[in-house]
Structures are given as structure tokens and as C-alpha cells.
Amino acid sequence: MFHTPDTETLRLCSVLTSIAFGLVFALFRFGGRREAYFVHWSASAFLYAAVLIGFDSAPRGQPFAISLLMGALAATNMLIVSGLRAFDGKPPFRLWMLAPVAGCAVVHVLPVLIAGRGPGTGAWTQAVDTVTIAISAGIAGGILLASGRRDRSRARRIAGLAILGYLPGYAIVLVAIFSMTPRINYLALIPMLSDQLLLGVLNLGLLAIPAERAQQRLIDAALRDPLTGAWNRAGFDRQAGRLASAGATVLAIDLDHFKQINDRHGHLAGDTVLIELARLAGAEVASLGGAFGRLGGDEFVAILPASRAPDAQACASQIHEACRKYTEGMPEWTTSIGVSQILAGETGHQAALHRADGALYRAKLTGRNKLTA
């Protein structure tokens, strides 16, 4: 049905694809978006195109020229890693990144240096080249895949799996070499065929990484209260969904005499107090593994995980005490807190929040600045 493609045509397709993606990365970098990681990924794509051209035009019988190309091929993988590190705000380059590059370059000439140019040297050279470049691909793909799992990034996992997708092809090459397959010339087709499937997936995955983060930031912004940075009602409900289980503690938090603060000191001072309350209480809740949100006005809510159930009252007191440490120069303010726990058999946190609101109302009636269960 299909004619077997020749290596030169496939190599040309890979070169053109790499140049195209290299230009896309470069245009993102120099077209108004100043993210440095695009430079790394652009350099990786352009370098890969140059390496493929170099393999096609390198003089035969020059192992040192090929060794440089092998080192450059490994460098394309390390540039992907350095770009990912730059994207994460880390120093892009680390000393260990030189090891795969130097290894691919040095190992290529070892069979010649050890055994000379004998009849079997070519097969051994091709074998060690395949192993070393597979190691560099495995390192890059593994780092992308691991960071994708850690950050719950689908784009990173796609890019990582694309790089790791080259490994079966390298394994086929090794098997063919050591089984003395007579049609050894066809072995060069396997990496090029892999390119046609995986090169676009890899680069599209890299392009999707910043887009995925931008989308997540938009989602977070929609779920955050713009004044205090705490979760809004929708955001808190989403966070509470993962924490709501029997024994989890729900706190209803209210700022005492908030209207008087606004009337005496102005709405700007009132906003400052809300921000300070969210900062202090939110930090305490986060340290306890919980979620903190603003329901509206001066009404806040928190949920602590069930693992804190044995010392729920102490945790609530800790949050209440934190709200007494407001910054000097601000209007004096206090909070009232109602505490409840999710009971066995209850689904969600709404029933516990209703009880916490009742406890908060009792705290207000009995003088405010209190913690009531």
C-alpha cells in the first residue's frame, strides 16, 4: 500500500518541522513575550535541524566530526530540560547536564580508539551511540513526566511521553544490530519514522505548557476574592469538596463591628482590615492543611481536615488568637468565630457550616470577640 520512504526524505521532513517550531518559539520570545524559556526550546529545535543536516553532510570516516554531532544531539534534549527549569523559575543550567552531552560525544569514538577501525567496529559504534542518546532522551523525558505528575500538568506529561516514545525505536535498533540483521541500512529509518510521529507532539506539548499555566491562572483568578486573595464562595466550595469528611472542622468567621470601622475610619481602612484578617487567618488555616475563603462582606469561612479533629478546638483558638495580632496603626478590630464539625453520614460541608453560623450568632449575642462551638 505504501512505498518504503527513503531516509533522506524523512530527514528533510524532520529538518523542516524542527525549523518551523524553532521559528514559532523564537517569535513567541521576540514578539512581545519575554519568557526566556522560549529561547531554550527554540535553540533545541534549531540545533536538532542543524544536527540532522550535519549527519547528512558529514564526511565519512571522520569519527570526531560525528562525535561532535552526537554531543549536539544530546544537547537538544538538555536544552528542553533547561527551558523547563527556566519556566519554573529555576537556574536553567546545571553541571550534571554536561554529562549526557559529553558522554554521547566521547563514547562515539571509544570503539575506534580501543579496537581501531576493524570489521566489527561500525556495529559497536552504532550500538553505543544508540544507548547514549537513548539515555539522554530518557533523562529529558523522565524529568518532563515527573514534573507533569508533580504539577498536574497534562502538557508536560505529553511532551515527556513524546520524548520517551523514541526509546522503543532505539531498542529495535539495538536488537537489529546485535542480531546481525542484513538490511542494516534500514535501521536509520526507525529514528526518522519516530520523528514524523513524535516531533510534532513534543513541540506542541512544549507550546502548551505556558498556555496551560495561563489557563490555570485565569481559573484561579475566577475563584479568588479580588480584594483579599482568599477563595471566593465558588473557590471555597471546590476546595472544601476535597476536605469534607466526617470529623473535618468548619469555622464561620466574622469581623466584629465592621460597619463602625467603615463609618469611623473610611472604607479604605475597612478594606485594609479585611485584607489583614484574610492574611493572618488564611496563613494559620493553610499551616493546618485547610482552606480559607471569603463568603462576602466581612464573612469568612474555613475548613480544617479531619486529621485535625482531635485538636479542632485548639486549632480554632490558634486562628482566633492570630486575628488579635493586627498591624499597629490600623483600626482596632476583633473577630467572632463559630465552630462545628462534619458529622458521620453527612455529605459535604453545608450542614456543618449552618451549625457554625449558629455558633457564630451566639458568640455575637454574648459579647463578640469570642470563639463558640
Side-chain angles (χ1 to χ4, degrees):
M1 183 172 64
F2 295 108
H3 294 291
T4 303
D6 61 277
T7 307
E8 288 74 18
T9 300
L10 292 175
R11 184 179 287 116
L12 176 61
C13 291
S14 296
V15 168
L16 293 176
T17 300
S18 296
I19 291 174
F21 278 110
L23 288 171
V24 170
F25 289 130
L27 288 172
F28 272 119
R29 171 61 179 86
F30 298 106
R33 302 182 65 176
R34 299 297 179 182
E35 292 88 345
Y37 50 85
F38 282 126
V39 175
H40 298 258
W41 295 339
S42 178
S44 175
F46 284 135
L47 182 60
Y48 186 63
V51 167
L52 293 180
I53 295 171
F55 277 127
D56 191 50
S57 57
R60 298 291 178 258
Q62 296 293 326
F64 292 101
I66 301 298
S67 71
L68 291 177
L69 290 172
M70 290 300 302
L73 184 58
T76 63
N77 291 324
M78 294 303 102
L79 282 168
I80 292 173
V81 175
S82 65
L84 183 69
R85 290 179 60 84
F87 179 80
D88 289 334
K90 301 175 182 178
F93 296 105
R94 280 290 178 261
L95 193 59
W96 65 263
M97 293 181 182
L98 293 175
V101 177
C104 283
V106 171
V107 169
H108 176 79
V109 297
L110 282 181
V112 175
L113 295 176
I114 294 172
R117 290 189 174 91
T121 304
W124 277 105
T125 300
Q126 191 169 12
V128 296
D129 285 349
T130 302
V131 170
T132 52
I133 201 62
I135 291 172
S136 75
I139 292 171
I143 289 173
L144 276 163
L145 195 61
S147 70
R149 289 174 178 168
R150 183 189 67 241
D151 298 340
R152 298 179 182 178
S153 167
R154 185 176 299 176
R156 294 182 190 223
R157 291 197 294 268
I158 289 172
L161 288 172
I163 298 181
L164 295 177
Y166 284 90
L167 299 185
Y170 295 140
I172 293 172
V173 170
L174 283 174
V175 170
I177 291 171
F178 289 111
S179 63
M180 302 302 180
T181 301
R183 303 182 73 180
I184 194 74
N185 291 334
Y186 281 101
L187 294 180
L189 284 175
I190 297 174
M192 291 295 97
L193 285 171
S194 298
D195 261 357
Q196 311 316 306
L197 175 64
L198 299 171
L199 194 58
V201 176
L202 166 61
N203 286 287
L204 287 173
L206 294 176
L207 279 172
I209 290 174
E212 187 180 55
R213 173 179 286 182
Q215 183 184 38
Q216 187 58 50
R217 285 176 175 172
L218 286 174
I219 293 172
D220 285 345
L223 298 176
R224 292 281 185 181
D225 172 52
L227 177 64
T228 63
W231 296 111
N232 59 23
R233 187 182 294 271
F236 180 79
D237 286 345
R238 177 177 292 192
Q239 295 298 313
R242 63 180 177 84
L243 296 171
S245 61
T249 303
V250 177
L251 286 74
I253 305 170
D254 199 59
L255 190 63
D256 296 329
H257 302 296
F258 183 56
K259 184 177 184 303
Q260 293 181 17
I261 294 174
N262 281 332
D263 291 343
R264 292 177 182 176
H265 303 279
H267 289 280
L268 181 60
D271 287 348
T272 304
V273 169
L274 292 174
I275 293 170
E276 185 72 354
L277 188 159
R279 183 182 70 83
L280 294 170
E284 291 296 327
V285 172
S287 71
L288 297 169
F292 180 80
R294 182 188 181 196
L295 299 183
D298 61 336
E299 299 176 12
F300 294 85
V301 64
I303 183 169
L304 305 178
S307 59
R308 295 286 180 176
D311 53 347
Q313 194 70 21
C315 293
S317 298
Q318 181 178 334
I319 295 167
H320 189 244
E321 287 300 317
C323 292
R324 299 173 184 265
K325 302 172 184 177
Y326 51 84
T327 305
E328 292 185 8
M330 294 177 57
E332 293 187 8
W333 54 274
T334 59
T335 59
S336 296
I337 300 179
V339 184
S340 181
Q341 286 185 297
I342 298 176
L343 303 177
E346 290 183 343
T347 58
H349 67 287
Q350 294 298 334
L353 178 58
H354 180 73
R355 293 192 297 272
D357 277 332
L360 173 63
Y361 182 69
R362 293 194 298 273
K364 293 279 191 180
L365 288 178
T366 55
R368 293 183 170 84
N369 192 22
K370 292 185 178 181
L371 175 68
T372 305

